[in-house]
Amino acid sequence: QVQLVESGGGLVQAGGSRRLSCAASVSMYFMGWYRQVPGKQRELVARISRNGGTNYADSVKGRFTISRDNAKNTVYLQMNSLKPEDTAVYTCNASPYGSSRDYWGQGTQVTVSS
């Protein structure tokens, strides 16, 4: 059974930093983070391929950095200069190579206080 285990959420002051981690139980090609606030659609925050290609939401470019450790099947999201509008449930997403199947973590709350 494929599992994605997230960690790193919590409360942080505006302007602060936080790092999220997501460890997959198997090798994944794409790994990334989505976020959602109540009443809004879930949005892609950042995604990285196994060979290091990345893409980011415009709202986080220059502040967030996604990276991965393929040996550990783990993806990281370094979040700097956090804003109250970054407050959301952040959920890890991953997909194996050549598969249309998506896997999701349980979600972790990030709250940025002003």
Side-chain angles (χ1 to χ4, degrees), residues 1-112:
Q1 185 178 358
V2 175
Q3 287 186 317
L4 300 178
V5 180
E6 301 152 337
S7 60
L11 177 64
V12 61
Q13 287 190 332
S17 297
R18 200 82 182 179
R19 191 176 83 152
L20 304 181
S21 300
C22 171
S25 56
V26 298
S27 176
M28 295 290 183
Y29 187 73
F30 285 111
M31 299 188 78
W33 293 92
Y34 285 72
R35 66 186 181 186
Q36 188 171 25
V37 297
K40 291 191 175 182
Q41 275 194 321
R42 183 162 54 190
E43 64 170 352
L44 173 68
V45 177
R47 190 174 73 158
I48 185 169
S49 66
R50 188 169 179 83
N51 61 11
T54 60
N55 60 291
Y56 294 90
D58 288 343
S59 59
V60 306
K61 283 180 180 176
R63 299 188 299 122
F64 291 11
T65 302
I66 191 168
S67 61
R68 64 188 290 168
D69 183 334
N70 290 333
K72 297 181 179 179
N73 296 327
T74 298
V75 63
Y76 306 97
L77 185 68
Q78 178 65 45
M79 304 183 292
N80 298 330
S81 302
L82 282 161
K83 305 175 181 180
E85 51 263 43
D86 294 316
T87 295
V89 175
Y90 287 70
T91 306
C92 181
N93 170 266
S95 56
Y97 180 81
S99 173
S100 60
R101 173 82 186 262
D102 271 311
Y103 296 91
W104 295 90
Q106 77 279 7
T108 185
Q109 176 72 44
V110 174
T111 301
V112 184

